[in-house]
Amino acid sequence: MSRLRIGIDCRYVRIGRHDGISRFTAGVVAHLPARHDYTLLVHDERQLESLPAGMPWELLPAPTDAGEPFVARKVDRLGLDAVFSPMQTMGSRGRHYALVLTLHDLIYYRNRTPPREFSWPLRLGWRAFHLSWVPQRVLLNGADGVVTVSETTAGLIAEHRLTKRPVTVAYNAADPAERRPAGGVRERSLVYMGSFMPYKNVETLAAALPLLGADWVLHCMSRVSEADRTRLTGLAPTGSIVFHDGASDDEYRSVLRSATALVTASYDEGFGIPLVEAMGVGTPVAVSDIPIFREIGGAAAEYFDPSSPSAVAAAVRRLEARWDDASDASVVRAGRFRWEDSAEQVVRAVERAVSERAGR
């Protein structure tokens, strides 16, 4: 295939600190294969601070702009052969380029509480969007190809017949981090990284602490409301939950490298980047027995019924008993999730989209 001019929609990159979509975008952009030319599409020049320096870029309206359904008219003026977006909501009407969209997961069809940072009009629209499969089908079929971040979600896309377009899996990944030192300190501590939304089920983790013993501690790394803090504290022995309330990356990795395990009792997840982050530094994981966690953790992880605090405690004890082997297996397993591979899969999806569009 001849060299393509590919636009990468970077308008979801957070200014300051990444969220999941932002990190996915930055990870892919940093590892794009050199066989094509790329243009970054941003809505604020500050987004470039989180992206590789020196790449060509263009300004577009923010993805929350009212004109987003018609953004293709502005993109057309850039003379691109194709565009990849890390979301599925980029407007496609009237475009003259190949388009690949990303559907990360279907979690909000089962858990319809929208992200708290959204304004009320966006929260209302979010809820309405997820009441039916039809809007999703319209968006995905408006593209030439679809990327998703796991085989689990790819299977759900097929099950619900969400698109007629080819679906490519480009795994989410974690930034490389140094493995914890052999023979280093291993505390009787557990790490939870994530929000405190109801489906995350952090309460079960807190309720498992008294079953493990008085010397166990749960580190909750993310920002927490006073209501959530009070509720969780009441479920566990005094002082057994440490709230970091928004840890820095360095603080998070430091806690991970001395912990016995990363834990999560989610009833549902789109992926699970914290699992990859923990396994990558050699900290094993004990997690809910749900399909996406099985896909990520494989035989390296321990699994439990997320409705049972005693099952959580039993999984942690099993992990503690085979900790050295589990740590080694975790590092190997984490090696399956690399930004280099994800970027390659994204570009292959774009190449396929260009070929199929030319053949119509």
Side-chain angles (χ1 to χ4, degrees):
M1 174 172 285
S2 60
R3 198 171 186 87
L4 301 174
R5 289 196 65 212
I6 301 173
I8 309 294
D9 183 5
C10 298
R11 295 175 299 155
Y12 293 91
V13 170
R14 288 286 187 94
I15 296 168
R17 189 167 186 177
H18 289 308
D19 63 3
I21 307 297
S22 177
R23 191 178 297 278
F24 178 76
T25 307
V28 167
V29 169
H31 295 88
L32 290 166
R35 62 182 178 272
H36 299 299
D37 299 318
Y38 305 98
T39 299
L40 308 182
L41 308 177
V42 299
H43 72 83
D44 188 313
E45 290 187 36
R46 291 176 294 173
Q47 293 175 305
L48 299 171
E49 296 171 5
S50 300
L51 298 167
M55 295 184 72
W57 57 276
E58 297 283 351
L59 276 175
L60 290 178
T64 53
D65 188 89
E68 180 64 11
F70 310 100
V71 73
R73 297 176 182 176
K74 296 182 181 295
V75 177
D76 268 333
R77 299 169 191 164
L78 304 178
L80 300 171
D81 298 303
V83 169
F84 166 72
S85 178
M87 280 286 281
Q88 75 273 39
T89 51
M90 188 178 198
S92 62
R93 188 172 302 177
R95 62 189 168 85
H96 295 96
Y97 50 87
L99 177 64
V100 174
L101 300 176
T102 305
L103 178 59
H104 287 258
D105 55 68
L106 303 179
I107 194 168
Y108 287 108
Y109 287 94
R110 300 180 293 272
N111 306 276
R112 291 200 175 104
T113 302
R116 294 171 181 171
E117 68 268 20
F118 282 10
S119 64
W120 73 262
L122 285 176
R123 291 168 67 87
L124 186 63
W126 181 277
R127 284 185 178 273
F129 181 89
H130 291 97
L131 291 175
S132 165
W133 296 114
V134 173
Q136 194 74 261
R137 290 188 180 115
V138 170
L139 287 175
L140 297 182
N141 286 326
D144 300 293
V146 175
V147 163
T148 191
V149 298
S150 70
E151 295 289 351
T152 299
T153 300
L156 291 171
I157 291 172
E159 177 184 337
H160 296 290
R161 302 187 302 279
L162 294 185
T163 185
K164 301 173 183 177
R165 307 306 184 207
V167 176
T168 300
V169 174
Y171 278 121
N172 240 318
D175 296 333
E178 184 179 354
R179 183 176 178 176
R180 60 193 295 167
V185 174
R186 174 156 61 91
E187 300 172 354
R188 288 194 129 187
S189 64
L190 306 173
V191 180
Y192 170 71
M193 170 59 87
S195 74
F196 299 89
M197 296 176 74
Y199 72 89
K200 296 285 191 177
N201 189 33
V202 185
E203 292 80 4
T204 296
L205 300 179
L209 287 171
L211 304 178
L212 283 168
D215 54 342
W216 282 87
V217 173
L218 173 66
H219 292 269
C220 294
M221 310 305 295
S222 303
R223 295 192 184 281
V224 60
S225 69
E226 279 304 314
D228 288 332
R229 186 193 302 262
T230 300
R231 186 180 69 259
L232 293 170
T233 299
L235 295 171
T238 301
S240 63
I241 303 181
V242 177
F243 293 98
H244 293 256
D245 204 20
S248 67
D249 289 344
D250 287 343
E251 182 182 358
Y252 172 41
R253 291 193 187 102
S254 176
V255 173
L256 265 184
R257 286 195 179 99
S258 62
T260 292
L262 178 131
V263 291
T264 177
S266 293
Y267 286 114
D268 204 350
E269 279 295 342
F271 189 74
I273 289 178
L275 276 67
V276 182
E277 291 171 332
M279 292 190 300
V281 301
T283 297
V285 301
V287 295
S288 308
D289 194 356
I290 57 177
I292 185 59
F293 287 169
R294 286 276 181 179
E295 182 177 351
I296 297 170
E302 287 289 343
Y303 301 95
F304 54 75
D305 174 357
S307 68
S308 170
S310 62
V312 175
V316 171
R317 291 192 189 99
R318 291 195 302 271
L319 198 57
E320 192 178 25
R322 66 178 186 96
W323 195 90
D324 289 334
D325 289 341
S327 177
D328 291 340
S330 295
V331 173
V332 173
R333 187 72 184 181
R336 292 167 50 92
F337 307 97
R338 304 189 321 142
W339 288 126
E340 294 91 334
D341 298 333
S342 303
E344 177 64 29
Q345 291 304 316
V346 164
V347 172
R348 288 186 183 182
V350 171
E351 292 169 343
R352 181 176 181 180
V354 169
S355 295
E356 294 205 355
R357 184 175 178 84
R360 289 179 198 152

